[in-house]
Amino acid sequence: MTRIFLIGYMGSGKTTLGRKLAARLNYPFLDLDHLLEEQAGMTIAEYFASFGETAFRVAESEILKSTAYPENAVISTGGGLPCFFDNMEWMNANGITLYINLSPKALISRLGNNKDDRPILRDKHGDELLGFITEKLEERNAYYQKAHIVAEGLSLTAEKAEALIAGKTAL
Ligand SMILES: Nc1ncnc2c1ncn2[C@@H]1O[C@H](COP(=O)(O)OP(=O)(O)O)[C@@H](O)[C@H]1O
Ligand SMILES: O=C(O)C1=C[C@@H](OP(=O)(O)O)[C@@H](O)[C@H](O)C1
Ligand SMILES: [Mg+2]
């Protein structure tokens, strides 16, 4: 049984890499944000607007822990998920965790104009955005660094991720 949890800040490429890695390993792909959107019948942005962040954190933790995962799976998480409740410990106990580590500037470059569906970042721009991500990433790193694997995000490919994971387990 191999369940691979991809973690990292918004824009680190968890969803993108997750899809590619799952295709490469021939494992099912799950994105916890997408599962929440399906179950709630609304987008993450709508969920934040209707119920607020506190309710979102409870809901995403419930989805993490109640999903009936296939034997083998690649699971992309939301960027904040490892940093609330005991979610990080839960993932470490129930699978292999891989942190996609990127600098604030690299994250901003990847997010580009594509941050409108991320309510926490949507209204921040320029220096304010850089300052916010720098500060939050420092706080979140305390959780992210507990991952089984810390991968350098800029050069990370599905092939490299597969090799890193194979080094931790017999796939
Ligand atoms: N390896 C990569 N190189 C360059 N851009 C990437 C890479 N992976 C993802 N991106 C881009 O970065 C943005 C965020 O990717 P996404 O997978 O949604 O991240 P996350 O799920 O971690 O928030 C998207 O616009 C995506 O196309
Ligand atoms: O980092 C965060 O707090 C969040 C990250 C988002 O997922 P991505 O990391 O896939 O953008 C999504 O769960 C929500 O907007 C909150
Ligand atoms: Mg994502």
Side-chain angles (χ1 to χ4, degrees):
M1 182 174 77
T2 308
R3 291 172 183 153
I4 302 160
F5 292 93
L6 300 180
I7 69 167
Y9 201 79
M10 287 174 265
S12 56
K14 303 175 296 290
T15 300
T16 307
L17 180 74
R19 247 190 224 111
K20 290 181 183 163
L21 182 60
R24 191 177 170 83
L25 296 171
N26 203 21
Y27 287 0
F29 171 64
L30 291 83
D31 186 298
L32 296 182
D33 278 339
H34 296 166
L35 289 184
L36 192 149
E37 289 183 333
E38 270 174 29
Q39 289 187 23
M42 62 181 80
T43 66
I44 301 284
E46 287 166 349
Y47 197 98
F48 266 70
S50 301
F51 305 117
E53 181 174 354
T54 305
F56 173 79
R57 296 305 171 194
V58 172
E60 71 172 355
S61 184
E62 277 172 11
I63 285 181
L64 170 72
K65 295 177 184 175
S66 67
T67 293
Y69 296 101
E71 278 283 298
N72 299 315
V74 177
I75 302 130
S76 295
T77 63
L81 180 129
C83 315
F84 290 85
F85 310 111
D86 62 346
N87 296 342
M88 191 64 215
E89 286 71 24
W90 192 93
M91 289 188 285
N92 275 338
N94 287 278
I96 298 168
T97 49
L98 186 151
Y99 170 35
I100 308 172
N101 190 15
L102 282 170
S103 70
K105 284 194 172 154
L107 291 166
I108 288 171
S109 148
R110 285 196 180 183
L111 285 164
N113 298 321
N114 181 13
K115 64 182 176 60
D116 283 0
D117 52 356
R118 292 170 173 90
I120 293 173
L121 302 179
R122 186 160 52 189
D123 299 326
K124 297 182 177 64
H125 308 275
D127 285 349
E128 192 200 350
L129 179 64
L130 180 60
F132 180 84
I133 293 183
T134 304
E135 189 184 316
K136 292 296 167 195
L137 190 58
E138 238 166 69
E139 288 170 23
R140 287 187 173 186
N141 256 319
Y143 300 89
Y144 292 156
Q145 294 288 345
K146 293 182 188 166
H148 295 128
I149 301 164
V150 177
E152 201 288 298
L154 271 189
S155 62
L156 187 63
T157 58
E159 192 179 359
K160 269 196 196 172
E162 180 184 10
L164 289 169
I165 292 156
K168 295 276 168 187
T169 184
L171 277 176

